[in-house]
Amino acid sequence: MTRIQRKILTMSLIIIMIMGAFWTAISYINQKSIYEYNNILERYLLLNHVSTTSQTALAKLSQYVSTPSPANQASYEMHRKRLNDSKKKLDLLKNQANAIALTDYIFMLDSQIEAMDLTMMMHKLDKRQNSQAAYDEALQISKFIDETTLLLFKKELTNQKQFYESMIEVTSRLRSLGLWILGVVLIISIGFSYWFSKGITRSIYLLTQGAKEVAAGNFDHPIRVKSNDEISFLAKTFDRMRENIKELVAEIQEKAKLEKEIKEYQLLLKESELKRLHNQINPHFLFNTLNTLSKKAYLEDALETSDLISTVANLLRYNLRSVDENVSLRDELELVKEYLTILKARFSSRISYDFIIEEACLDYEVPPFFLQPIVENAFKYGVEPFEEGGYIGIKVFRENGEVVVSVEDHGLGMTDSVKEQVLSEQQTGFIQSKSTGIGLRNVVQRLRLFTNKRDVMDIQSSAGGTVIAVKFPQRSEKDEALNHGR
């Protein structure tokens, strides 16, 4: 049986339920009367129990005082505990009519218990006169408790009389309403039929609107049908399908973005690999030739020429290293020093440079060939365009938990558009140095892969020069040990 069928049957049964509601109300009143009667009886029994326990505890105390013994003491303490437990149950009897009297009643019980405790204490201290005075006070309080118990009985009777009168009045009114209920049943039936049909048609309307939104490509509009039938189930299923399509579209977009990034990185790797393969053409022949020329120049007393040829050989040997193998910052700086030595030989006094290096940073692992393209860019735009030459400063230091490698020049500066192209994550518009073919943007991408961070390079540029700072997160000693172990 479907839920819609159940609703139709419910509409038919509702009339019978309304008719039976009247008789149910009468039965409820009768049941409530019985419950109230039992409750009244329990209240009377509790009050009587408290009064009886009060007298019994006092009698046990008198028995112990007259004949002290462990058995009499245990009997007294047991009845004292019962009196104290009964006192706690009295809070359940409170109502608006007896609240004040019952509160006083509880205070009297506390006073009797305190007087009995004082009697015991004075008796144990052998102060008979004080003990007798305390006992007399407890006895007087017990009499007050008996009187107050009778007063509470009277209040309970008065209160319950009002309850019974109200129940009789309600029953009389229900009988009068019976005839009105019979007349209203027809009106309710018509109203229920209208509400039932409207609920079905509204659910179908909402489901139709949701389908139109999905068909139009709008996956952000939820489908909410507030009903408890098959149409609601269909709407929930359709809404889950909308969410799945939305997630699938987002996943496809994310996958496309990831594939684009992978292609960009593959292009970078291919460019580096092609460069490495290009530099590896006949390496032994080139090394042997340069070494022969260096030795020949040395034998001819051309020491400066010999050193320059050795520098070129070392530079070539370093460039033949694999781009996948990390190097120390010390090795990168040695490469740059040899590169600047060659430039110094070419341009003499037109180029000046210096190094400011923290020795503690030299063993830090870095990707190979990241620094030479930056220095080459500084030379290209900070020294070469000027007839009087220029200056290049290289600094290595630690700052804010990072190892910073800074390259400074006093050249033309870099425009905002060029800087944006260098730091952009898009594939187009990167700057490429002339001799190595590895551009600044290539360096940025490789550094991002190495550090797994986006903010790896900071460029500060103006008309008076440019400062390019590369930032590496400083590793812990444990990480350094693991890297060296590899």
Side-chain angles (χ1 to χ4, degrees):
M1 182 183 296
T2 65
R3 291 182 178 179
I4 294 178
Q5 288 177 328
R6 290 175 183 174
K7 286 186 176 182
I8 295 174
L9 292 177
T10 301
M11 183 180 66
S12 302
L13 293 174
I14 196 68
I15 299 175
I16 301 175
M17 293 176 63
I18 293 175
M19 295 294 294
F22 173 73
W23 303 109
T24 302
I26 295 178
S27 299
Y28 168 76
I29 292 175
N30 292 332
Q31 186 65 29
K32 188 174 182 180
S33 300
I34 294 173
Y35 171 79
E36 190 65 24
Y37 173 77
N38 291 332
N39 188 30
I40 293 170
L41 183 60
E42 290 178 1
R43 294 162 74 93
Y44 289 160
L45 291 175
L46 179 58
L47 289 172
N48 183 67
H49 174 73
V50 171
S51 179
T52 303
T53 306
S54 171
Q55 296 174 3
T56 305
L58 198 60
K60 294 297 181 181
L61 176 62
S62 177
Q63 184 178 358
Y64 170 76
V65 170
S66 60
T67 310
S69 67
N72 290 337
Q73 182 179 0
S75 177
Y76 161 71
E77 290 179 350
M78 179 183 68
H79 284 84
R80 181 193 178 282
K81 183 177 182 302
R82 289 179 181 177
L83 179 62
N84 191 54
D85 293 340
S86 300
K87 180 195 67 175
K88 296 178 181 178
K89 297 178 181 179
L90 290 174
D91 287 332
L92 302 176
L93 302 183
K94 283 187 178 181
N95 53 44
Q96 188 175 3
N98 65 4
I100 298 177
L102 194 60
T103 301
D104 294 338
Y105 191 68
I106 294 174
F107 285 159
M108 282 190 287
L109 290 174
D110 288 332
S111 299
Q112 180 181 343
I113 293 173
E114 291 175 1
M116 290 191 300
D117 292 342
L118 182 60
T119 302
M120 287 287 292
M121 184 176 67
M122 292 296 106
H123 179 74
K124 291 180 180 179
L125 295 175
D126 200 20
K127 294 182 179 181
R128 300 185 179 278
Q129 185 175 359
N130 293 337
S131 176
Q132 183 62 40
Y135 177 81
D136 292 340
E137 181 181 357
L139 181 61
Q140 186 66 29
I141 294 173
S142 179
K143 293 179 180 179
F144 288 150
I145 290 175
D146 289 339
E147 295 174 359
T148 306
T149 301
L150 294 176
L151 177 62
L152 289 173
F153 280 156
K154 292 179 180 180
K155 287 184 176 295
E156 289 290 332
L157 289 173
T158 302
N159 185 41
Q160 299 308 321
K161 179 181 179 182
Q162 295 175 353
F163 170 77
Y164 281 120
E165 290 176 352
S166 63
M167 293 296 293
I168 293 172
E169 184 179 357
V170 169
T171 303
S172 177
R173 290 181 180 180
L174 284 176
R175 290 173 181 174
S176 301
L177 289 175
L179 296 176
W180 286 98
I181 291 175
L182 293 175
V184 171
V185 166
L186 180 60
I187 298 175
I188 293 178
S189 301
I190 296 174
F192 184 84
S193 300
Y194 173 77
W195 170 81
F196 177 74
S197 61
K198 183 179 179 181
I200 295 178
T201 55
R202 179 171 176 79
S203 299
I204 295 175
Y205 172 78
L206 293 174
L207 183 60
T208 304
Q209 291 298 113
K212 289 181 179 179
E213 293 288 342
V214 173
N218 181 13
F219 300 106
D220 297 324
H221 183 71
I223 302 171
R224 297 288 184 265
V225 175
K226 296 181 180 180
S227 63
N228 190 23
D229 50 31
E230 284 70 17
I231 298 178
S232 175
F233 175 77
L234 180 61
K236 291 178 181 178
T237 305
F238 191 81
D239 193 58
R240 285 196 296 268
M241 182 182 69
R242 176 191 64 82
E243 290 287 347
N244 293 336
I245 294 174
K246 180 180 177 181
E247 293 175 0
L248 181 60
V249 171
E251 183 180 348
I252 292 173
Q253 292 175 347
E254 185 67 23
K255 185 176 180 182
K257 181 180 178 182
L258 181 61
E259 290 179 351
K260 182 180 179 182
E261 292 180 354
I262 292 175
K263 288 181 180 179
E264 291 180 0
Y265 296 149
Q266 288 176 345
L267 289 175
L268 291 173
L269 293 175
K270 286 181 180 179
E271 181 182 354
S272 300
E273 186 66 20
L274 288 173
K275 173 60 185 175
R276 186 174 66 86
L277 292 175
H278 176 72
N279 287 337
Q280 285 181 336
I281 299 175
N282 297 323
H284 295 293
F285 173 76
L286 294 175
F287 285 142
N288 291 335
T289 301
L290 291 173
N291 287 331
T292 300
L293 292 175
S294 176
K295 292 177 181 178
K296 182 175 175 59
Y298 180 80
L299 293 174
E300 293 176 353
D301 292 330
L303 300 181
E304 185 177 351
T305 302
S306 176
D307 291 339
L308 184 60
I309 294 174
S310 295
T311 300
V312 174
N314 292 333
L315 185 65
L316 179 61
R317 182 182 295 108
Y318 189 89
N319 276 278
L320 292 178
R321 300 183 66 157
S322 172
V323 296
D324 298 327
E325 181 181 354
N326 296 335
V327 298
S328 67
L329 188 54
R330 187 192 308 275
D331 293 337
E332 278 290 289
L333 291 171
E334 290 296 330
L335 170 67
V336 171
K337 288 179 181 178
E338 292 177 347
Y339 173 71
L340 290 174
T341 299
I342 297 173
L343 292 180
K344 186 70 174 178
R346 288 179 57 194
F347 296 93
S348 186
S349 61
R350 287 187 60 195
I351 179 173
S352 61
Y353 59 87
D354 63 4
F355 290 82
I356 301 176
I357 300 172
E358 287 189 18
E359 292 292 330
C361 301
L362 292 179
D363 293 329
Y364 190 87
E365 285 196 355
V366 295
F369 310 114
F370 88 91
L371 184 55
Q372 190 269 343
I374 301 176
V375 175
E376 183 177 0
N377 183 79
F379 172 77
K380 179 179 178 181
Y381 296 101
V383 177
E384 194 173 22
F386 304 99
E387 184 176 350
E388 68 277 9
Y391 163 81
I392 297 176
I394 301 173
K395 296 180 182 179
V396 179
F397 56 93
R398 288 177 293 183
E399 183 180 57
N400 297 329
E402 295 178 323
V403 175
V404 181
V405 181
S406 171
V407 179
E408 177 184 3
D409 67 72
H410 295 167
L412 298 174
M414 185 183 298
T415 64
D416 292 338
S417 61
V418 174
K419 182 166 65 174
E420 183 179 353
Q421 290 174 358
V422 171
L423 300 179
S424 172
E425 298 186 15
Q426 302 298 324
Q427 180 64 23
T428 59
F430 63 87
I431 300 174
Q432 194 177 48
S433 56
K434 291 181 178 179
S435 60
T436 64
I438 303 177
L440 287 182
R441 186 181 178 281
N442 191 323
V443 172
V444 172
Q445 294 291 68
R446 292 177 60 237
L447 289 173
R448 285 172 177 166
L449 286 175
F450 178 79
T451 62
N452 198 24
K453 291 175 55 180
R454 314 311 299 172
D455 182 21
V456 294
M457 180 179 288
D458 180 57
I459 301 177
Q460 301 293 333
S461 184
S462 64
T466 302
V467 178
I468 298 179
V470 177
K471 298 176 288 186
F472 296 96
Q474 190 171 349
R475 297 187 179 93
S476 64
E477 295 181 359
K478 181 179 179 181
D479 294 334
E480 291 290 344
L482 290 174
N483 288 330
H484 286 302
R486 295 172 185 169

